[in-house]
Amino acid sequence: MLRSTALRTSLVGIAALAVIGGLTASASASAPAPVSDGAQKAPKESSLTGSAKMFRADGQQVRFSFDAHGFAPAEPDEPDAPAGTSRGTFRFSHYTADGKQGAYAEGRIDCLLTGGPVATATGVITRSDLPDGAIGKRVGFTVYDGKGDGKKDRVGYSWAVGSITTMEVPKCLSAAPYETVESGDFKVEHVLPPNPSGNSAPSE
């Protein structure tokens, strides 16, 4: 692992520069979605899956990967709140264009919420070479699935305007998805679980 001073700068430092300088969106149009032949089975639960590299005009290498399933926190903070089924893993990394400076983090998902093509997830970092204090911190992600080849997908994250090591991110909360995908693809499946009260609700 790199131990330079630049490496010990939190990812938020690099992300903040990108925010201040302005993020350039990808102008590539996605291919039309294939027509379903009806053979594909309907998903049984909500999910957020896939990996992608973000578009950065200066060549910075920013990547996110998700394998999250379920709905609502499996361990809710509110007393007597029904337990959800969220589970899975996440990974993100941010390196300079030459790959010589940067860091990564990975962890376990503790909440996933979906609505149509949008998913918001949070998770706790379990492994990382970020500065001391990152492991054990909760971070949040929001993903928009543009439904296609990934070129219309977007990602947002809780540390866009703060520091991972100092922010206290509640479960199931994150920022708007403003970063655009350069390559890769995210898939969001939305399945609203049964209402504990017995009342039915629409799936979209």
Side-chain angles (χ1 to χ4, degrees):
M1 297 181 185
L2 298 174
R3 298 300 179 190
S4 66
T5 302
L7 172 62
R8 290 188 170 273
T9 301
S10 171
L11 287 184
V12 68
I14 305 176
L17 291 175
V19 172
I20 295 170
L23 294 167
T24 305
S26 172
S28 301
S30 67
V35 178
S36 173
D37 59 4
Q40 187 175 0
K41 293 183 179 179
K44 295 182 179 180
E45 63 178 354
S46 289
S47 63
L48 165 60
T49 58
S51 300
K53 178 180 183 290
M54 301 298 100
F55 175 79
R56 291 294 179 89
D58 60 1
Q60 292 180 55
Q61 302 180 44
V62 181
R63 292 180 170 86
F64 292 87
S65 297
F66 303 101
D67 184 18
H69 304 265
F71 197 90
E75 299 178 359
D77 295 328
E78 292 295 324
D80 303 320
T85 57
S86 296
R87 63 201 184 277
T89 59
F90 67 87
R91 191 182 196 281
F92 62 89
S93 61
H94 191 154
Y95 293 91
T96 54
D98 60 11
K100 295 181 178 180
Q101 297 178 359
Y104 83 97
E106 59 187 48
R108 59 177 180 81
I109 296 292
D110 63 9
C111 183
L112 173 66
L113 294 177
T114 59
V118 178
T120 296
T122 52
V124 176
I125 295 174
T126 57
R127 295 182 63 186
S128 177
D129 56 2
L130 282 165
D132 294 342
I135 294 177
K137 298 296 292 187
R138 178 177 291 111
V139 289
F141 314 92
T142 300
V143 174
Y144 168 74
D145 178 2
K147 304 299 183 184
D149 61 2
K151 292 298 179 67
K152 289 187 177 181
D153 293 357
R154 291 178 176 270
V155 177
Y157 36 87
S158 59
W159 64 94
V161 292
S163 169
I164 288 176
T165 57
T166 59
M167 293 183 71
E168 297 296 333
V169 179
K171 292 177 182 176
C172 314
L173 293 181
S174 186
Y178 60 90
E179 289 242 30
T180 55
V181 166
E182 179 180 290
S183 61
D185 195 7
F186 295 119
K187 296 296 183 185
V188 174
E189 297 288 356
H190 172 59
V191 179
L192 198 63
N195 191 322
S197 67
N199 297 325
S200 61
S203 60
E204 293 293 337

